[in-house]
């Protein structure tokens, strides 16, 4: 089995759990996936914090706007793993309520960068943006919060 396949087999269930929880209002599992050691960054569809002091609170704020997640799927487009860094490119398809709205489907394209810390993979960067107009409500509601 390739290193990349082993990486994906280990990480994708954790990512699915963390992202589903986030979209149900719980940032805890996402906190566990992320490094708390700078540098960490997010270039998001709605927010772009730099450093854990900004990233952590942003995750809490983001989670507080989500509820009623009925689906959260990641289509892996590409991934690779090295000794201390790995990346994952994906199309994310999620249906959830944003800011109390009716559950609405949206799609993001995302890049996630991982760094090995003390033998464990931690996320250190995420970039996500709308792949089509489906995420417009998401961006608009989060900007207004």
């Amino acid at each position: 089995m390739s290193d990349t396949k082993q990486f994906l087999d280990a990480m994708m269930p954790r990512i699915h759990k963390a992202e589903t929880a986030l979209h149900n209002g719980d940032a805890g599992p996402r906190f566990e996936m992320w490094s708390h050691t700078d540098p960490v960054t997010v270039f998001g569809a709605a927010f772009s914090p730099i450093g854990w002091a900004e990233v952590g609170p942003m995750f809490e704020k983001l989670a507080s706007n989500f509820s009623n997640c009925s689906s959260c799927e990641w289509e892996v487009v590409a991934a690779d793993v090295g000794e201390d860094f790995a990346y994952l490119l994906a199309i994310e398809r999620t249906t959830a309520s944003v800011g109390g709205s009716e559950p609405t489907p949206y799609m993001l394209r995302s890049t996630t960068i991982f760094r090995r810390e003390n033998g464990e993979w931690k996320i250190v960067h995420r970039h996500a943006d709308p792949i089509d107009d489906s995420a417009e409500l998401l961006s608009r509601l989060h900007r207004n919060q």
Side-chain angles (χ1 to χ4, degrees):
M1 179 181 303
S2 75
D3 290 344
T4 301
K5 177 150 178 33
Q6 287 178 343
F7 171 79
L8 291 172
D9 286 351
M11 296 308 294
M12 292 311 297
R14 291 181 61 207
I15 288 169
H16 185 262
K17 176 184 173 187
E19 294 305 301
T20 300
L22 180 87
H23 287 89
N24 277 315
D26 179 9
R30 189 182 257 200
F31 271 55
E32 293 172 17
M33 299 259 338
W34 274 73
S35 173
H36 297 204
T37 304
D38 289 336
V40 294
T41 52
V42 175
F43 295 151
F47 305 106
S48 294
I50 297 173
W52 183 251
E54 293 180 12
V55 170
M58 185 275 298
F59 288 160
E60 289 287 350
K61 181 177 181 178
L62 189 63
S64 73
N65 288 319
F66 282 119
S67 61
N68 302 318
C69 180
S70 62
S71 86
C72 183
E73 302 300 327
W74 284 38
E75 175 188 343
V76 176
V77 175
D80 200 7
V81 63
E83 188 173 324
D84 293 317
F85 286 95
Y87 73 88
L88 169 62
L89 307 177
I91 304 298
E92 301 175 22
R93 294 176 179 88
T94 305
T95 300
S97 295
V98 181
S101 70
E102 288 296 315
T104 304
Y106 69 91
M107 291 191 312
L108 301 175
R109 59 182 158 222
S110 66
T111 302
T112 307
I113 308 294
F114 300 79
R115 177 174 62 217
R116 193 184 308 265
E117 295 180 354
N118 301 316
E120 184 178 359
W121 289 109
K122 295 289 188 173
I123 299 171
V124 296
H125 176 75
R126 173 178 164 79
H127 176 216
D129 62 358
I131 196 168
D132 61 13
D133 291 337
S134 66
E136 178 55 30
L137 174 65
L138 171 77
S139 294
R140 191 172 61 245
L141 286 171
H142 283 303
R143 279 193 298 265
N144 292 331
Q145 296 294 318

